[in-house]
Amino acid sequence: MPTPKKGPRLASSPAHERLMLANMATSLFKHGQISTTLPKAKRLRPLAERLITFAKRGDLHSRRRVMRVIRDKSVVHKLFTEIAEQMQQREGGYTRIVKIAPRTGDSAPAAVIALVTEPVSPKKAVVKEAEAATKVAAKDEAPAKEAEAAEVEETKDAE
């Protein structure tokens, strides 16, 4: 049996693993967040983010590629209309994994994987505004510094 490229095998066969990840992605897009084990959440994240990237494109080919993984048309419709619209300003990082208490019964490390719905903070605009404010402040301080330098020279000449 071939070993997977990323991480340990989650299920008995590659086909079962693909189906399991597809079902988890469907549930994630349907409900917004799911609770699962940490290894499954880590394996689901790249798949879910790639599907969201396809949904952001919005063309027919992308829709058909997503339909290969997610078989529920209503979930695909929600992904392309609602979720892609929310993620339009984001360049990545569409999902968040939060570790929670271990699962009772087998003490498996558990996690919640959720879609990030908060708006993107406009860091670039804030940085540009700060730079502009610094330049304005530097221009305002330049004449004041010249006047102070002139006063120092006058006091040296007077001595």
Side-chain angles (χ1 to χ4, degrees), residues 48-50 52-53 56 87-96 114-117:
E49 294 199 359
R50 189 167 59 247
I52 292 172
T53 303
K56 282 173 59 176
M87 304 295 179
Q88 202 61 42
Q89 298 300 319
R90 286 190 177 276
E91 295 179 3
Y94 309 119
T95 58
R96 173 183 298 140
L115 297 174
V116 178
T117 56

Side-chain angles (χ1 to χ4, degrees), residues 19-31:
L19 288 171
M20 198 168 51
L21 289 173
N23 288 336
M24 286 196 302
T26 302
S27 297
L28 176 65
F29 296 139
K30 183 185 277 187
H31 302 292

Side-chain angles (χ1 to χ4, degrees), residues 33-129:
Q33 71 176 19
I34 58 171
S35 178
T36 183
T37 62
L38 187 61
K40 286 180 184 176
K42 286 182 178 181
R43 291 294 301 272
L44 175 61
R45 173 183 257 169
L47 175 68
E49 294 199 359
R50 189 167 59 247
L51 294 175
I52 292 172
T53 303
F54 284 136
K56 282 173 59 176
R57 289 187 201 160
D59 57 347
L60 181 62
H61 181 65
S62 298
R63 187 174 290 263
R64 287 181 175 161
R65 287 197 60 181
V66 170
M67 284 293 293
R68 287 185 207 169
V69 178
I70 299 176
R71 303 296 177 138
D72 190 353
K73 288 185 180 180
S74 63
V75 174
V76 172
H77 178 72
K78 180 178 179 180
L79 175 63
F80 273 76
T81 56
E82 298 172 14
I83 297 172
E85 183 180 315
Q86 289 176 351
M87 304 295 179
Q88 202 61 42
Q89 298 300 319
R90 286 190 177 276
E91 295 179 3
Y94 309 119
T95 58
R96 173 183 298 140
I97 297 175
V98 180
K99 294 179 184 177
I100 57 175
R103 190 167 60 188
T104 57
D106 62 352
S107 296
V112 172
I113 182 166
L115 297 174
V116 178
T117 56
E118 293 87 21
V120 178
S121 61
K123 291 181 181 177
K124 295 178 182 176
V126 172
V127 170
K128 289 179 182 177
E129 290 174 4

Side-chain angles (χ1 to χ4, degrees), residues 153-159:
E153 289 179 14
E154 290 176 8
T155 54
K156 286 183 180 177
D157 291 339
E159 292 176 357

